Amino acid sequence: MLFRNSSIYIIAKLIPGVMAFSALAVYTHLLTPEEYGVYTLIFTATIFTFATVFNWLPVGMVRFWPSGKYDEGTFISTMGILYRCLSLPIIIIAAIIAVFVNSDALTYLVAALFLLFSHACLKHGQMQMTSQIRPKSYAIMTISYSVLALLLGAMMAYLGFGPVGLLLGIGAGMLIPSLIQSYSVWTKYDKDKFSPELTQKLAIYGMPLAASFFLEQIANVSDRYMLAWFVNEAEAGKYAVGYDLAGNSIIMIMSAINLAAYPMIVKLLENEGKEAALEYFKTYSVLLLGVSIPAVVGLSLVGPNIVNLLIGAEYRDSVTLILPWVACGIFFMGAGAFYVHLPFQLSNNNMGIFKIAGFVATLNLVLNYFLIPLWGMEGAAIATLLSFMASVTLGYIFGQRVFPIPFPAKDVLKILSAALLMGICLYLLKDLRGWLPLLFQISSGLGIFVISAYLLDIGGIKATIAQYLKMRQAEP
């Protein structure tokens, strides 16, 4: 089931990933680096606000919905009231700010608010489908969002509305499919079904996560703001393109596998016990690392050709320079969020994540402060990599104390060996340019890794394939 659901979630992430690559190509041709810098600063500020204020609710839903202890009406009613209570202070603060700013700033504020609440609707809908283990519904919502956001955002930018138009278009692309897909569930909302008990569970589980998300987002976005501060918005815009290029590929893959596995791990832990959950976790960890590690190697070596084909001329040199650093940093960020930090969530001990996030945020700010003046955006990328490496190291050390998880050392060595062979192949092809050479690079690298994975029997892949073929032959 893990491989089947993961494949659905990967498709649900793959098409949006293609849309995200297309969006980078379109936006970097329609917006100047200064305009893209303004867009990315507002966009990341909005995501930062969501992660700090709202994100603990959908995360808590994924943790407690699969247990089946609360019916849909109780869950959705409780969540709805909590969303309303959290939204009110934001609206009041925005209204106060609106009194004191000029018309241009007011326009940006309205666009940011619209994007914030649209993103909240989308994330809730996605996590609701994940909680219910409905990967196909998740795929429909996510693919619809990615297509609409690209079309509407590109149209607004093309019509000359600049960063504001882009934000409004993306927000509309988020809102429309989430409302359509989640409407039937929200009809069960009844304020009388509000559960204080569920609220307490969500708060105890989620509040440390909310604080952790706040600190993690500091580490995740501070580089852009400090680049804008030390250099200018154009430098932040160029850096953001490279960061988004890596994030839209590596994190896309890692989050897809996590979405398929985490609800099942929780369900097994609640219903069948720790041993069953850990056995499933081992398979999950091999799949997570077995897909993400070669993705980092491939993007680092094939990236210059992708940049040359997709990204606007004003951005290319900068993106090519930082891409290997950022790709590695994104991998460690995903390894923290989707692997070594999970023991804290599974044991309901999220204060551990908070403490690690506090250290990493501080480290990231200090590194950015010293490295950006020296090396510019390359310094920011190195700061990101070092910060998330520290996050993974601390997460694994302290996570093992609260909820020991398996580390498949032998399989990781096999994955690294297969990735090394793939890397040697791609290194020999790295200077090729063009669409056909890109297809050749990807197919060659992927082919080398898949063959190596089979020969090395990573994760028992030989037995898995043999069992699958036997089942197919047994079918009438």
Side-chain angles (χ1 to χ4, degrees):
M1 180 176 286
L2 174 58
F3 293 101
R4 185 186 67 190
N5 286 351
S6 293
S7 65
I8 296 174
Y9 280 113
I10 286 175
I11 292 171
K13 291 286 187 177
L14 179 62
I15 296 176
V18 173
M19 294 297 104
F21 276 109
S22 303
L24 283 176
V26 172
Y27 300 159
T28 55
H29 285 85
L30 293 176
L31 300 179
T32 66
E34 290 83 3
E35 289 176 324
Y36 195 91
V38 171
Y39 153 73
T40 194
L41 292 175
I42 296 174
F43 186 88
T44 52
T46 303
I47 302 305
F48 179 87
T49 304
F50 168 80
T52 304
V53 178
F54 294 111
N55 200 33
W56 60 278
L57 286 174
V59 169
M61 178 168 59
V62 176
R63 177 63 180 85
F64 294 110
W65 190 310
S67 66
K69 294 180 181 178
Y70 301 94
D71 62 70
E72 285 190 4
T74 300
F75 221 112
I76 205 68
S77 300
T78 303
M79 296 286 285
I81 290 175
L82 292 174
Y83 276 119
R84 186 177 67 187
C85 293
L86 292 171
S87 299
L88 185 59
I90 294 176
I91 295 172
I92 293 172
I93 292 171
I96 294 171
I97 293 173
V99 175
F100 298 98
V101 298
N102 58 36
S103 58
D104 289 339
L106 180 60
T107 304
Y108 286 127
L109 179 63
V110 171
L113 275 178
F114 178 68
L115 182 65
L116 172 63
F117 292 121
S118 297
H119 184 68
C121 290
L122 176 69
K123 291 300 292 184
H124 174 86
Q126 288 177 320
M127 293 301 99
Q128 177 188 306
M129 303 308 164
T130 300
S131 302
Q132 296 173 314
I133 313 180
R134 294 168 56 190
K136 292 182 180 179
S137 297
Y138 178 97
I140 292 171
M141 181 184 296
T142 304
I143 292 170
S144 300
Y145 139 67
S146 66
V147 174
L148 278 174
L150 173 59
L151 292 177
L152 296 176
M155 181 184 70
M156 296 292 279
Y158 178 77
L159 293 175
F161 291 102
V164 171
L166 185 55
L167 292 166
L168 292 174
I170 292 173
M174 292 177 173
L175 185 62
I176 294 170
S178 59
L179 291 179
I180 293 173
Q181 196 78 354
S182 302
Y183 174 77
S184 60
V185 175
W186 282 108
T187 57
K188 300 176 182 179
Y189 173 82
D190 181 355
K191 64 179 181 179
D192 294 331
K193 290 187 176 181
F194 174 78
S195 170
E197 179 189 3
L198 177 58
T199 301
Q200 184 181 21
K201 284 188 175 182
L202 290 170
I204 293 173
Y205 178 81
M207 286 303 178
L209 279 180
S212 302
F213 292 143
F214 174 81
L215 296 170
E216 286 173 359
Q217 285 300 308
I218 290 176
N220 196 27
V221 305
S222 62
D223 41 17
R224 306 179 194 199
Y225 287 90
M226 295 184 78
L227 277 168
W229 176 33
F230 281 118
V231 190
N232 53 45
E233 285 84 0
E235 195 79 353
K238 293 175 183 178
Y239 177 83
V241 172
Y243 198 96
D244 293 343
L245 185 62
N248 289 332
S249 51
I250 297 167
I251 285 294
M252 173 198 75
I253 295 170
M254 299 180 82
S255 64
I257 296 170
N258 175 261
L259 286 168
Y262 185 69
M264 283 300 301
I265 293 171
V266 172
K267 192 170 184 178
L268 288 170
L269 182 63
E270 294 285 345
N271 299 329
E272 297 185 30
K274 189 174 180 179
E275 288 187 9
L278 289 178
E279 185 64 29
Y280 195 87
F281 198 105
K282 183 178 180 180
T283 304
Y284 160 68
S285 61
V286 173
L287 182 60
L288 182 74
L289 299 175
V291 173
S292 57
I293 290 175
V296 173
V297 175
L299 184 62
S300 298
L301 293 169
V302 179
N305 192 16
I306 296 174
V307 170
N308 187 65
L309 291 169
L310 295 180
I311 305 302
E314 293 180 271
Y315 301 82
R316 288 174 190 163
D317 290 342
S318 300
V319 174
T320 301
L321 175 68
I322 67 169
L323 192 56
W325 295 107
V326 172
C328 292
I330 291 290
F331 165 75
F332 280 103
M333 180 176 71
F338 304 131
Y339 182 38
V340 300
H341 292 171
L342 292 188
F344 299 104
Q345 297 183 38
L346 293 171
S347 62
N348 294 331
N349 187 14
N350 291 325
M351 281 302 297
I353 299 178
F354 171 72
K355 293 175 182 177
I356 294 170
F359 174 82
V360 171
T362 303
L363 176 63
N364 184 260
L365 289 171
V366 171
L367 289 172
N368 276 318
Y369 183 80
F370 286 104
L371 296 181
I372 288 176
L374 289 174
W375 299 320
M377 64 176 67
E378 192 172 13
I382 293 171
T384 297
L385 172 60
L386 294 176
S387 300
F388 287 121
M389 286 178 69
S391 175
V392 168
T393 303
L394 294 173
Y396 186 78
I397 292 172
F398 294 107
Q400 292 296 89
R401 299 178 184 180
V402 297
F403 193 96
I405 56 173
F407 178 72
K410 290 184 179 179
D411 282 308
V412 170
L413 287 174
K414 293 178 182 179
I415 292 167
L416 291 173
S417 300
L420 177 61
L421 293 173
M422 183 187 79
I424 293 171
C425 170
L426 291 178
Y427 182 80
L428 298 174
L429 305 174
K430 66 182 178 65
D431 294 326
L432 298 178
R433 295 291 182 268
W435 287 107
L436 287 177
L438 177 62
L439 181 61
F440 179 65
Q441 288 170 324
I442 293 174
S443 58
S444 299
L446 185 61
I448 291 291
F449 184 82
V450 169
I451 293 171
S452 300
Y454 181 81
L455 293 177
L456 293 170
D457 196 26
I458 297 174
I461 191 172
K462 290 182 179 179
T464 301
I465 293 174
Q467 184 180 12
Y468 173 77
L469 293 175
K470 185 176 180 181
M471 290 175 59
R472 290 297 301 269
Q473 290 174 354
E475 291 178 359

